[in-house]
């Protein structure tokens, strides 16, 4: 039997007991904290489907703008897609979309001249001060406040639309295609359609 001589700490006692195979005579008053397993770590960005590239026209399937055809500008770090209508054509602003809720079409638009390098996931974050409303405002029961679009977003939308509209107007009938809403009738067979 191995004896612990002198002022041994709880870790030393536990180590000595483990090496001899016998239980220790001294038990520490406090439990020795063991680190919990953490799932945090570097996560890779989700992979974007091969059919979705910058310039691809996609059909939105969910949300406020479902049925609209929009142009993919780039994929963001979070795995979401940055899309725009353009706003001038079909009213869809710059927004993030999950790729699970889009149908990729074979139609492409040249977006090489559209500069969206400054737009990332943080661009779409909300201000914490504006989001928190007091108890009085909550129970007041007023009509919901209209979303206020910042001047920065309006300027960015105009800049992106100007470059995107040039590319759209260069292709015949593309403007009408983007403006048309995607719908299915009773006799349509989506599984046999080629988008």
């Amino acid at each position: 039997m191995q004896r612990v001589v002198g002022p041994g700490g709880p870790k030393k006692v536990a180590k000595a007991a483990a090496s001899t195979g016998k239980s220790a005579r001294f038990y520490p008053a406090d439990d020795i904290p063991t680190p919990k397993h953490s799932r945090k770590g570097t996560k890779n960005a989700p992979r974007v489907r091969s059919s979705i590239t910058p310039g691809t026209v996609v059909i939105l399937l969910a949300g406020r703008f479902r049925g609209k055809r929009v142009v993919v500008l780039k994929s963001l770090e979070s795995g979401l897609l940055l899309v725009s209508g353009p706003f001038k054509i079909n009213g869809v602003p710059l927004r993030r979309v999950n790729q699970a809720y889009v149908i990729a079409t074979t139609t492409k638009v040249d977006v090489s001249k559209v500069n969206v390098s400054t737009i990332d996931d943080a661009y779409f974050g909300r201000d914490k001060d504006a989001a928190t409303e007091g108890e009085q405002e909550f129970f007041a029961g007023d009509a919901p406040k209209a979303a206020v679009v910042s001047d920065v977003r309006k300027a960015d939308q105009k800049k992106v639309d100007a470059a995107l509209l040039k590319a759209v107007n260069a292709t015949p009938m593309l403007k009408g295609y983007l403006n048309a809403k995607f719908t299915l009738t009773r006799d349509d067979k989506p599984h046999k359609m080629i988008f």
Side-chain angles (χ1 to χ4, degrees), residues 55-77:
T56 304
V57 174
V58 296
I59 301 163
L60 301 180
L61 298 176
R64 184 179 159 195
F65 298 104
R66 63 183 164 274
K68 299 268 190 175
R69 293 181 172 101
V70 295
V71 181
V72 176
L73 300 174
K74 72 173 183 177
S75 61
L76 298 168
E77 232 173 78

Side-chain angles (χ1 to χ4, degrees), residues 27-88:
Y27 292 99
D30 296 324
D31 291 332
I32 302 166
T34 54
K36 301 256 188 315
H37 175 68
S38 174
R39 289 196 177 98
K40 288 180 183 173
T42 55
K43 289 193 167 58
N44 297 330
R47 197 168 51 83
V48 180
R49 277 184 282 175
S50 59
S51 57
I52 300 173
T53 56
T56 304
V57 174
V58 296
I59 301 163
L60 301 180
L61 298 176
R64 184 179 159 195
F65 298 104
R66 63 183 164 274
K68 299 268 190 175
R69 293 181 172 101
V70 295
V71 181
V72 176
L73 300 174
K74 72 173 183 177
S75 61
L76 298 168
E77 232 173 78
S78 60
L80 299 174
L81 305 172
L82 177 67
V83 299
S84 181
F87 186 76
K88 199 107 174 161

Side-chain angles (χ1 to χ4, degrees), residues 1-194:
M1 183 174 135
Q2 186 179 4
R3 292 186 62 185
V4 179
V5 181
K11 288 183 182 176
K12 287 183 180 176
V13 172
K15 187 177 175 187
S19 63
T20 59
K22 294 182 180 177
S23 60
R25 289 186 190 163
F26 166 75
Y27 292 99
D30 296 324
D31 291 332
I32 302 166
T34 54
K36 301 256 188 315
H37 175 68
S38 174
R39 289 196 177 98
K40 288 180 183 173
T42 55
K43 289 193 167 58
N44 297 330
R47 197 168 51 83
V48 180
R49 277 184 282 175
S50 59
S51 57
I52 300 173
T53 56
T56 304
V57 174
V58 296
I59 301 163
L60 301 180
L61 298 176
R64 184 179 159 195
F65 298 104
R66 63 183 164 274
K68 299 268 190 175
R69 293 181 172 101
V70 295
V71 181
V72 176
L73 300 174
K74 72 173 183 177
S75 61
L76 298 168
E77 232 173 78
S78 60
L80 299 174
L81 305 172
L82 177 67
V83 299
S84 181
F87 186 76
K88 199 107 174 161
I89 293 175
N90 56 18
V92 182
L94 280 169
R95 60 190 285 125
R96 296 179 296 178
V97 176
N98 190 329
Q99 63 174 332
Y101 301 108
V102 299
I103 297 174
T105 66
T106 52
T107 311
K108 303 269 184 194
V109 179
D110 180 32
V111 292
S112 57
K113 293 189 174 63
V114 181
N115 182 19
V116 286
S117 58
T118 57
I119 299 171
D120 56 356
D121 287 309
Y123 177 84
F124 293 97
R126 292 186 178 158
D127 294 335
K128 288 186 179 177
D129 299 334
T132 56
E133 66 175 28
E135 198 173 322
Q136 296 294 331
E137 289 85 9
F138 180 78
F139 287 110
D142 295 337
K145 298 173 198 159
V148 179
V149 181
S150 67
D151 293 333
V152 176
R153 283 233 189 151
K154 287 178 184 174
D156 287 342
Q157 183 69 56
K158 282 183 181 175
K159 187 177 71 174
V160 169
D161 270 10
L164 202 53
L165 280 169
K166 284 181 185 173
V168 168
N169 291 333
T171 311
M173 296 190 345
L174 185 59
K175 190 173 181 181
Y177 175 70
L178 289 172
N179 195 19
K181 205 166 186 183
F182 174 76
T183 53
L184 291 170
T185 59
R186 194 179 61 185
D187 301 323
D188 288 333
K189 296 179 174 60
H191 61 289
K192 290 190 173 178
M193 287 183 178
I194 297 169

